Amino acid sequence: MIELRHLWTLLALKESGSLAAAAKKRFVTQSALSHQIKELETRINSSVFIRKSKPLAFTEEGTRLLLLAEEILPKVQETENLLRQGTNSIQGPLRVGIECHSCFRWLMPAMEAFKHKYPESRLDLSSRYLFDSLEALENDELDLVLTSDPVASHTLAYQHLFEFEVKLVVSKEHPLAKFDYVLPQQLLKQPILSYPVPLERLDLFRYFLEPAGIAPGPQKTSDLTNVLLQRLACNEGVAALPNWSMREAHGLSLKALRLGKDGLKRPLFGAYRRNASNSKLIQHWLTLVAAEAVTPQDSH
């Protein structure tokens, strides 16, 4: 009657709070997710959540299914990982690609833990591929990629690690600094500081300005986080950065604002090839990243 996919969907609904966000997390369309929920509700002859409730609220039946999901899905995932790993080696190199310029700092504790636990293995962390990282992964040039933008693929698997918040960073002298959050129209023609990434690939543009039809001002780029923060402190413009980037802003007169009233949240996934021969080592690394990060904005 109840299938694992139904439980995964309910868990995604609880964690994301909406059908659209849950569909994205499950890598399906919203209509497919809605169909799956209706199928489940037909099987149990009851609704699983209250329609149009804000925040999303589950029925008594839905809550019982959620408790079941939270109890058995971790065990299922653990068993699947063990079966997938088999007896493959936990030694050898692990080539990790990252698509984030500011990830190195909060990854350091996980890297140190990995070196201590697996001294025979070598961890190579690289940002050389940037937005071609997933292609490099499919071509066996990388073993693992940390990404916020998964692409559907028959050869790749994605493991959700955590959510992080992208914030607008401005000088305390900037007119926007008096606000706790900003709306898209407040950034009309504002100069944008960023890493050397095309404007259309920036989270600020893709998920905040473009949907509202707002055109930003000129884009200015910096390769290094500390230089970018110093330029922001000099009031050269605004930047949208992961909230852990502010850990490098010691002594700088900066303020971080929410993008929108509820903030802009983004997921981080670990991507790897389904048929990877070193899947056991990959899973150990992902476990360390999740454990050491504890969402990096809180601990690193």
Side-chain angles (χ1 to χ4, degrees):
M1 178 184 286
I2 301 168
E3 300 178 24
L4 288 178
R5 61 191 177 96
H6 297 140
L7 299 183
W8 283 116
T9 293
L10 289 179
L11 202 57
L13 263 179
K14 179 187 176 182
E15 292 175 350
S16 59
S18 72
L19 284 172
K24 189 172 183 179
K25 196 167 188 176
R26 295 290 293 138
F27 305 109
V28 297
T29 63
Q30 187 172 338
S31 60
L33 190 90
S34 297
H35 178 78
Q36 188 183 125
I37 291 172
K38 287 179 182 178
E39 177 190 35
L40 172 61
E41 290 177 328
T42 299
R43 292 188 183 191
I44 66 173
N45 195 30
S46 175
S47 297
V48 294
F49 71 95
I50 301 171
R51 265 59 176 180
K52 298 183 180 179
S53 57
K54 290 187 177 180
L56 189 143
F58 289 87
T59 62
E60 181 179 352
E61 292 81 1
T63 300
R64 293 185 67 180
L65 287 173
L66 267 176
L67 291 174
L68 176 66
E70 290 171 342
E71 178 182 352
I72 71 168
L73 289 181
K75 297 178 182 178
V76 170
Q77 194 167 43
E78 180 181 0
T79 301
E80 286 181 344
N81 288 339
L82 290 172
L83 292 172
R84 187 185 301 117
Q85 291 161 14
T87 58
N88 66 10
S89 175
I90 57 171
Q91 298 183 2
L94 185 63
R95 303 162 298 171
V96 180
I98 59 175
E99 296 183 344
C100 169
H101 286 75
S102 60
C103 285
F104 287 101
R105 187 178 181 88
W106 69 258
L107 274 174
M108 289 302 293
M111 293 172 67
E112 291 300 320
F114 184 84
K115 290 177 183 177
H116 178 75
K117 194 168 184 179
Y118 307 106
E120 301 300 319
S121 297
R122 187 182 77 250
L123 182 64
D124 296 326
L125 200 63
S126 172
S127 61
R128 60 177 292 201
Y129 296 99
L130 285 181
F131 295 107
D132 294 323
S133 292
L134 293 177
E135 182 179 349
L137 179 62
E138 287 189 312
N139 293 335
D140 198 20
E141 297 172 61
L142 293 170
D143 298 306
L144 175 66
V145 171
L146 298 180
T147 180
S148 293
D149 298 296
V151 176
S153 169
H154 294 297
T155 60
L156 300 183
Y158 296 91
Q159 184 167 321
H160 182 265
L161 298 174
F162 53 79
E163 304 279 327
F164 63 92
E165 185 173 1
V166 178
K167 288 194 171 184
L168 189 78
V169 182
V170 301
S171 165
K172 288 184 179 178
E173 304 300 320
H174 196 285
L176 293 175
K178 63 184 178 181
F179 300 102
D180 292 324
Y181 66 90
V182 294
L183 299 175
Q185 53 267 34
Q186 291 175 278
L187 300 183
L188 180 66
K189 297 184 179 179
Q190 282 281 349
I192 304 298
L193 272 71
S194 76
Y195 298 107
V197 173
L199 179 67
E200 61 272 15
R201 296 300 300 261
L202 296 178
D203 289 342
L204 176 66
F205 182 76
R206 297 170 67 191
Y207 303 108
F208 193 67
L209 297 178
E210 186 179 38
I214 299 299
Q219 183 186 13
K220 308 174 183 180
T221 63
S222 292
D223 288 289
L224 302 175
T225 301
N226 59 349
V227 174
L228 184 60
L229 293 173
Q230 289 173 29
R231 294 180 67 181
L232 288 169
C234 292
N235 212 2
E236 291 189 33
V238 303
L241 298 169
N243 47 358
W244 62 72
S245 299
M246 289 297 288
R247 310 257 337 156
E248 300 185 40
H250 301 297
L252 296 177
S253 182
L254 296 172
K255 183 178 179 181
L257 318 173
R258 294 195 308 277
L259 287 165
K261 188 173 181 179
D262 298 322
L264 175 60
K265 305 292 177 58
R266 297 286 290 133
L268 189 70
F269 298 90
Y272 54 91
R273 291 184 305 280
R274 296 180 186 275
N275 63 349
S277 60
N278 58 347
S279 60
K280 191 171 185 179
L281 193 61
I282 289 171
Q283 288 300 323
H284 282 239
W285 165 244
L286 290 176
T287 299
L288 284 174
V289 170
E292 290 291 340
V294 196
T295 59
Q297 62 268 26
D298 296 329
S299 60
H300 303 306

